[in-house]
Amino acid sequence: MWRLFRTERMWQPRALKDRYDVVIVGGGVHGLATAYYLGQRGVREVAVLEKSYLGAGGSGRNTAIIRSNYRTPEGVAFYDESVKLYEALSARLGFNVLFSQQGHLTLAHTDSAIVGLRVRAEVNQLGGVPSRLVWRDEIAKLVPAMDCSDRPRYPVLAALYHPPGGIIRHDAVVWGYARGADRYGVHIHPFTEVTGIDVADGRVTGVRTTRGDVKTAAVLNATAGFCSTIATMVGLRLPITTHPLQAFVTEPLKAFLDKVIVSSNLHVYVSQTDRGECVIGSEIDPYPSYSHRSTLPFLESTAQHTLELFPCLKHVRVLRQWAGICDMTPDYSPIMGEVPGIRGFYLDVGWGTYGFKAGPVAGRRMAELIATGRTPDLIKPFSITRFSEDRLVGEKAAAAVSH
Ligand code: PYC
């Protein structure tokens, strides 16, 4: 009887050892997924160090949108693998991550926005990703609650319809990977802040933490919001600026919306969770900052734009508002791989507003790199050397919303 009601621990508290084969800095979806896939490959002496609780950063603050309708062939192939991993994740982890592939619509309200979406539809289709342009009549059928008339200031003209896109329970993804990694013997250490990284003769030799020093030959920077701070510990300056990204959630409503709606022109995205709440966000704040504060101007402008699409929400109350911080690269693509000249220092950073949806593929491919020493083809385009080699992977046009 007792066994029936016993609460299972998702991961075990462990003593911090003074040596690990791999130290992962950051206990969000990227760090935990990498630990999980390292464990799956038989790499056992792995520690995940997180300065707060698991998922305290971007993994617990994002709006949980999953999609692969990117703009470059490199981006499409990469995020497509992530969507496929997400599709199988509940079964693989034995833990329901509540992935709802309800479909994703990026709206166009201007002719030039339609041109941008047409390019994405073609790149997506060439990469085998289901996406197509749809016009107002079809949009009105897909999203009956949205105002598709000529009444709004910027009427909806067309959309990029991406059926595999959807929303997920982000906490469940974090917990599921943590539990899976723990079962492979990974040591997960929340509330353990990295304060320094030791490098000797061009090689990583250890990390210093608030709970003691650890020797290791491999350190992965899998942090979001603070990736520049960690990189500075090895003397590396990243081409990144950090900006807040805000969101809010409404009181629960009867189900009325079963598609993810994004409007770059109106700077807003909206989805409805299985609990009935609307999750609503906008673009990054236009100023660099590490602030996690919500602001009234964001709430006012985002609510106003939401009402242009969904006037039916006009009397709905806001339940809560929050902010996270995003590391923005110049081309809106991540930086992944080992850093030339610093043996054993790996980057999985610069995720901007896309990080959560990339967690599984980033974890799987970073684990492959760390375990085998070979950079997988899928992440080669995202190396840090692209900035000096003039081969940017421009994904700004595929941001849910951008300036
Ligand atoms: O890229 O889909 C996205 C997104 C939504 C919110 C932040 N990023």
Side-chain angles (χ1 to χ4, degrees):
M1 200 59 176
W2 155 244
R3 286 176 70 79
L4 252 182
F5 296 108
R6 201 169 51 138
T7 316
E8 185 202 10
R9 281 200 83 101
M10 298 292 282
W11 58 89
Q12 313 301 318
R14 318 243 192 198
L16 184 71
K17 298 215 282 191
D18 61 5
R19 180 181 293 276
Y20 288 99
D21 291 340
V22 183
V23 168
I24 296 171
V25 189
V29 63
H30 283 247
L32 292 164
T34 308
Y36 172 81
Y37 292 112
L38 279 170
Q40 197 174 67
R41 284 176 168 275
V43 182
R44 289 285 176 266
E45 293 295 318
V46 178
V48 177
L49 310 183
E50 164 56 52
K51 72 173 177 174
S52 182
Y53 57 89
L54 298 192
S59 292
R61 295 165 188 275
N62 65 84
T63 42
I65 297 172
I66 308 295
R67 63 186 176 92
S68 56
N69 56 357
Y70 280 75
R71 188 177 183 283
T72 65
E74 297 87 343
V76 171
F78 180 78
Y79 289 95
D80 184 38
E81 181 165 301
S82 215
V83 169
K84 290 186 172 131
L85 287 167
Y86 268 128
E87 283 170 348
L89 200 59
S90 295
R92 173 154 293 283
L93 297 176
F95 193 75
N96 194 349
V97 294
L98 299 172
F99 186 18
S100 160
Q101 288 186 283
Q102 48 188 241
H104 180 287
L105 285 154
T106 310
L107 307 179
H109 306 254
T110 65
D111 289 344
S112 65
I114 295 177
V115 173
L117 296 186
R118 195 185 288 283
V119 171
R120 276 170 69 188
E122 291 186 3
V123 176
N124 288 185
Q125 285 165 21
L126 283 171
V129 165
S131 277
R132 61 186 170 88
L133 268 192
V134 289
W135 305 94
R136 217 198 276 191
D137 289 354
E138 190 171 352
I139 300 169
K141 287 194 192 114
L142 289 167
V143 196
M146 189 162 69
D147 188 346
C148 289
S149 72
D150 279 328
R151 186 200 61 87
R153 263 188 315 156
Y154 297 107
V156 173
L157 299 180
L160 181 67
Y161 179 36
H162 175 52
I167 48 176
I168 202 161
R169 181 70 197 274
H170 53 185
D171 298 322
V173 175
V174 169
W175 298 331
Y177 271 126
R179 187 177 79 150
D182 181 82
R183 288 181 172 180
Y184 281 128
V186 168
H187 284 198
I188 296 174
H189 297 291
F191 302 103
T192 306
E193 185 168 356
V194 172
T195 54
I197 301 175
D198 298 322
V199 178
D201 300 327
R203 285 175 176 272
V204 164
T205 58
V207 298
R208 276 167 276 137
T209 84
T210 46
R211 289 176 54 212
D213 296 349
V214 176
K215 292 202 180 349
T216 185
V219 172
L220 170 65
N221 180 356
T223 58
F226 297 95
C227 72
S228 306
T229 316
I230 300 294
T232 312
M233 294 177 185
V234 296
L236 179 66
R237 192 156 166 245
L238 294 173
I240 278 176
T241 51
T242 300
H243 291 250
L245 179 67
Q246 303 192 44
F248 67 92
V249 67
T250 68
E251 62 184 325
L253 307 168
K254 194 170 157 185
F256 77 101
L257 176 64
D258 63 359
K259 300 279 173 289
V260 180
I261 304 298
V262 176
S263 167
S264 302
N265 294 131
L266 294 182
H267 304 294
V268 71
Y269 39 87
V270 186
S271 65
Q272 188 177 24
T273 70
D274 46 9
R275 285 194 300 237
E277 299 156 350
C278 289
V279 179
I280 301 177
S282 183
E283 63 203 327
I284 52 170
D285 289 348
Y287 42 83
S289 167
Y290 286 90
S291 168
H292 280 73
R293 290 225 173 144
S294 306
T295 65
L296 188 58
F298 155 78
L299 187 59
E300 281 178 342
S301 67
T302 310
Q304 181 190 341
H305 292 145
T306 306
L307 291 180
E308 293 194 34
L309 293 173
F310 294 102
C312 56
L313 295 179
K314 73 176 172 217
H315 293 305
V316 168
R317 283 169 295 197
V318 172
L319 204 61
R320 68 182 175 275
Q321 192 185 348
W322 70 94
I325 51 175
C326 300
D327 292 325
M328 310 304 299
T329 57
D331 59 359
Y332 277 51
S333 281
I335 305 177
M336 302 179 79
E338 194 176 19
V339 176
I342 314 175
R343 202 70 216 273
F345 188 64
Y346 298 90
L347 295 173
D348 172 20
V349 299
W351 286 100
T353 59
Y354 301 149
F356 190 77
K357 51 188 101 325
V361 63
R364 181 180 191 208
R365 297 305 180 170
M366 289 308 297
E368 183 181 342
L369 166 61
I370 295 167
T372 66
R374 287 187 299 277
T375 305
D377 288 345
L378 211 54
I379 67 173
K380 276 186 184 154
F382 306 120
S383 72
I384 191 166
T385 55
R386 75 176 184 275
F387 298 105
S388 52
E389 293 165 354
D390 196 18
R391 45 174 190 83
L392 302 190
V393 187
E395 284 292 0
K396 186 166 183 184
V401 290
S402 58
H403 290 281

